[in-house]
Amino acid sequence: PTFYPAATAGADEALTRWAEQQFMRPTALYVSGINADHMPVGLHEDRARLHGLPPPSIEAVRAAAIRNLHLVKPQIKWLADMLADGRPYLLGAVPCIADFAAYHVVWFYRGRHIDCRGVFDPYPKLRTWRDRMAAIGHGARTDIDAEVALAEARAAKPAAPRPSQPQEGDPEPGERARVRPSDNAKDWVEGEVLFIDAHEIALLRHDPEVGNVAVHFPRLGYDWRSCR
């Protein structure tokens, strides 16, 4: 089944963006703050660098938990309200991309050492949805040796792109550009424009270990710059 049923088109993308852009960040700060003393060495510093911030003190990480609890509680209630009528999934009878986007945030509340899932206790239908999503599972996994995986990647080639439809001011296919998330990350990904339209930009990159790789980015939530 598709992650993008026609019946939920538009609403599923809007909810996905909310979950990834507004719900995840305060959740991560809350759960990481509660588990501040149990995280791997260097993780807090690494996450701060990702967001262009100086390394935090452990006291600052703990304090962030309290501040962000007040940001996650209303959003948890929004999620519960969507499920209050007993529907099995956020937008109806079948799961869509919005369910998976929201579930990966809800899953995070398990915490690394201290379980934070008590915030869901007032919402039994939300917990039922959470368990239903967990039951979907991860499919059948096949282990593969790292060198074999790299060899298969080197032997593969990116599929031929669809016809591009550049918007005004966009780089043309064949030109070089760089892309990065617009919300927090500071590192650019640079490559040759393979495909571009109003919704997506794909950069062709070459890596000595895996050969040519097409990296696809949504337009929404990402910045791009021409490399001239």
Side-chain angles (χ1 to χ4, degrees), residues 3-201:
F3 285 173
Y4 299 91
T8 62
D12 55 2
E13 293 281 16
L15 283 175
T16 295
R17 181 159 176 79
W18 157 70
E20 294 180 347
Q21 299 292 322
Q22 300 297 324
F23 192 20
M24 185 64 216
R25 174 74 172 148
T27 288
L29 291 171
Y30 167 64
V31 176
S32 297
I34 293 295
N35 286 270
D37 298 295
H38 305 283
M39 305 304 283
V41 174
L43 179 68
H44 300 309
E45 292 82 357
D46 178 76
R47 297 296 89 183
R49 283 197 301 272
L50 174 67
H51 295 276
L53 299 172
S57 67
I58 196 69
E59 292 78 16
V61 176
R62 294 191 196 111
I66 303 304
R67 290 198 311 274
N68 284 278
L69 176 60
H70 303 309
L71 299 179
V72 300
K73 278 187 171 181
Q75 299 188 75
I76 290 170
K77 187 176 186 304
W78 293 349
L79 201 57
D81 287 346
M82 284 183 252
L83 298 159
D85 61 2
R87 66 184 66 186
Y89 299 102
L90 294 181
L91 293 175
V94 295
C96 67
I97 190 65
D99 291 279
F100 292 94
Y103 173 70
H104 98 274
V105 183
V106 169
W107 171 87
F108 198 81
Y109 283 80
R110 296 190 314 168
R112 178 176 176 84
H113 183 79
I114 301 173
D115 194 320
C116 298
R117 288 177 290 184
V119 294
F120 303 120
D121 286 350
Y123 308 112
K125 290 180 179 176
L126 192 159
R127 298 199 310 272
T128 298
W129 166 83
R130 177 195 65 193
D131 296 343
R132 185 179 295 117
M133 291 299 298
I136 292 174
H138 300 89
R141 189 183 76 178
T142 301
D143 291 331
I144 184 172
D145 181 78
E147 288 303 319
V148 174
L150 292 172
E152 290 193 7
R154 283 192 297 272
K157 295 181 179 180
R162 312 188 298 278
S164 289
Q165 295 180 314
Q167 309 300 294
E168 182 179 0
D170 280 351
E172 296 287 334
E175 295 181 357
R176 293 194 66 79
R178 52 183 182 160
V179 179
R180 71 177 180 185
S182 59
D183 56 353
N184 50 55
K186 304 302 180 184
D187 295 327
W188 293 95
V189 175
E190 184 176 330
E192 177 186 316
V193 176
L194 183 66
F195 169 82
I196 189 167
D197 68 5
H199 307 286
E200 179 184 341
I201 180 171

Side-chain angles (χ1 to χ4, degrees), residues 146-158 205-215:
E147 288 303 319
V148 174
L150 292 172
E152 290 193 7
R154 283 192 297 272
K157 295 181 179 180
R205 292 171 50 82
H206 181 80
D207 182 276
E209 283 198 302
V210 296
N212 288 335
V213 178
V215 186

